Amino acid sequence: MPTLIDAFAALPGAVATDGVLMHLGEPMREQRRLLSGSAVAPLGDRGVIEVAGEDRLSWLDSITSQGVAGLRSGDSTELLVLDPQGRVEHAAGVFEDGSSVWLIADAADVEPLAAWLKRMIFRSRVTVTVRTDLELLGFFAGGDADAAVRAIAAAPGDTPLVWSDPWVVVQPGGHQYANVEEHPAADYAWRVAIVEADAVASAISTFEAAGILAAEALRIAAWRPRWASEVDERSLPHETDWIRSAVHLNKGCYRGQETVAKVHNLGHPPRRLAALHLDGSDDVLPEPGSAIFAGDAEVGHITSVARHYEDGPIALAILSRRAPTAELIVRTDTVDVSAAQQVIVPADAGATADVPRLTRLSRRPEGQDPRRA
């Protein structure tokens, strides 16, 4: 069966790797076209899971970080699956169409997430299906691509399957650690349509196309975390400011909630996400995983990196909470690259609640029974 990549790889200048369209020869122009709403990007690095059944919303609400019980047809959000210590195990965009919940996950996480969900069904009236017959197109709202993609988006019911990325604003029940007057996600009107490959192939002549390099550069510029890039075995949602869009702090119990609440209300996450503006004078773009140094001390690593059409070489990085906020050095195989740092998650993130403290050294009033002190 033909795939989206089969259709887009036939376009002039297309470069595809492992089923992912990387670019069509002009990644910078492709970024501009995406932002203007005139281009679409096939997302071969992601997949789709369908969760059906009458208990789907209450069931997902009970086992994930997000409050989804009240979703209505056409609503979008995202969720995390945490381990008992509050570390991120899985992540997915969420779209409700009135009869099914559609989960959009990074390709390497689709099967593991689906397997975990199936293990958690027990007596709930739900089914979990990996939909390998459906694929994904990314685009920005408001342009020519918007209406064209919605016209071919899958619609099992009356609602086209088009997910709106909630990262654009702080979601109900969420909290933003980034201390900025204007968040770079304010204009990040990213959409993902769930489509059938045949429908795209028949309409491909009506689209301008962009590769994943363009989409990733715009994501990085918006400080948007992603499971495939920013998550490792130690990741807490606080570290990447993911509580902004994927965690509901006031909903009922779920696995990992105790750690989420404890770090948010009483402590600080051990690491923090930062945006880096890289020195491009040597024309070296560090690889994800490259070590970051402050002086002689290693303080973190690159998680995502790109060349942005306006900002030049940029990156997201996970740093130690105690890493200085001054200029850093990214070490590559050939050269050290200077990096100006922009703090996303501050070192003092968390401890947001006004928690009363017990005075341990206060004097007991004269004559007071010590058992009542």
Side-chain angles (χ1 to χ4, degrees):
M1 183 170 61
T3 67
L4 285 187
I5 298 305
D6 294 330
F8 282 94
L11 296 175
V15 175
T17 303
D18 297 328
V20 178
L21 181 68
M22 303 305 293
H23 62 84
L24 291 100
E26 299 178 308
M28 301 297 182
R29 288 189 179 181
E30 292 165 34
Q31 292 176 41
R32 295 188 184 96
R33 291 169 185 160
L34 273 177
L35 270 182
S36 71
S38 65
V40 298
L43 304 177
D45 58 348
R46 279 155 250 206
V48 183
I49 301 169
E50 181 184 7
V51 180
E54 56 188 289
D55 293 338
R56 65 189 182 280
L57 292 175
S58 59
W59 175 69
L60 282 172
D61 189 88
S62 70
I63 61 175
T64 70
S65 65
Q66 187 57 275
V68 301
L71 292 183
R72 298 181 180 182
S73 181
D75 285 348
S76 298
T77 186
E78 69 173 325
L79 58 77
L80 303 175
V81 172
L82 308 178
D83 73 7
Q85 288 73 46
R87 295 184 289 255
V88 178
E89 289 190 333
H90 309 286
V94 180
F95 182 81
E96 162 68 17
D97 75 350
S99 59
S100 292
V101 174
W102 300 86
L103 304 180
I104 298 170
D106 286 326
D109 195 34
V110 169
E111 291 290 348
L113 173 56
W116 184 85
L117 290 172
K118 290 175 182 178
R119 291 198 300 270
M120 299 301 293
I121 291 175
F122 303 115
R123 296 183 179 180
S124 298
R125 292 165 294 183
V126 296
T127 60
V128 176
T129 307
V130 176
R131 295 295 302 269
T132 56
D133 57 319
L134 296 173
E135 301 188 60
L136 300 165
L137 279 180
F139 63 100
F140 278 83
D144 295 339
D146 196 324
V149 173
R150 289 178 186 276
I152 64 167
D158 296 328
T159 305
L161 305 184
V162 179
W163 175 71
S164 299
D165 193 336
W167 183 250
V168 67
V169 294
V170 180
Q171 296 299 298
H175 181 89
Q176 176 178 301
Y177 289 140
N179 184 20
V180 291
E181 291 185 5
E182 184 174 353
H183 198 286
D187 297 321
Y188 189 68
W190 180 241
R191 305 287 186 266
V192 176
I194 301 173
V195 298
E196 297 178 353
D198 289 347
V200 178
S202 63
I204 195 169
S205 61
T206 65
F207 296 129
E208 289 191 72
I212 202 67
L213 292 181
E216 282 293 277
L218 300 177
R219 175 187 70 84
I220 294 167
W223 302 350
R224 211 267 187 257
R226 185 176 170 189
W227 180 90
S229 305
E230 277 64 55
V231 172
D232 59 25
E233 68 281 355
R234 298 169 51 198
S235 295
L236 298 172
H238 317 68
E239 296 176 337
T240 52
D241 216 5
W242 225 338
I243 292 178
R244 168 188 172 89
S245 61
V247 176
H248 197 297
L249 292 168
N250 302 317
K251 60 166 270 185
C253 229
Y254 59 91
R255 189 172 72 163
Q257 183 192 32
E258 183 177 354
T259 297
V260 168
K262 185 175 181 180
V263 173
H264 180 66
N265 292 324
L266 299 175
H268 306 296
R271 302 184 300 177
R272 59 182 182 84
L273 188 69
L276 302 182
H277 293 267
L278 304 172
D279 179 8
S281 58
D282 289 309
D283 200 30
V284 173
L285 199 64
E287 294 288 333
S290 297
I292 299 172
F293 287 80
D296 294 329
E298 185 172 344
V299 296
H301 65 277
I302 296 285
T303 58
S304 300
V305 63
R307 295 187 190 277
H308 190 265
Y309 76 102
E310 285 187 333
D311 298 334
I314 58 173
L316 294 176
I318 290 291
L319 305 176
S320 165
R321 180 167 65 87
R322 294 184 173 83
T325 58
E327 186 172 292
L328 301 169
I329 296 294
V330 180
R331 189 147 295 166
T332 74
D333 292 338
T334 58
V335 67
D336 287 350
V337 178
S338 298
Q341 178 187 169
Q342 187 169 4
V343 174
I344 298 175
V345 176
D348 60 355
T352 61
D354 184 13
V355 181
R357 304 295 182 184
L358 179 65
T359 303
R360 296 182 178 277
L361 300 178
S362 60
R363 294 184 58 187
R364 189 165 57 245
E366 186 174 351
Q368 180 176 326
D369 187 338
R371 290 170 297 180
R372 297 179 179 268

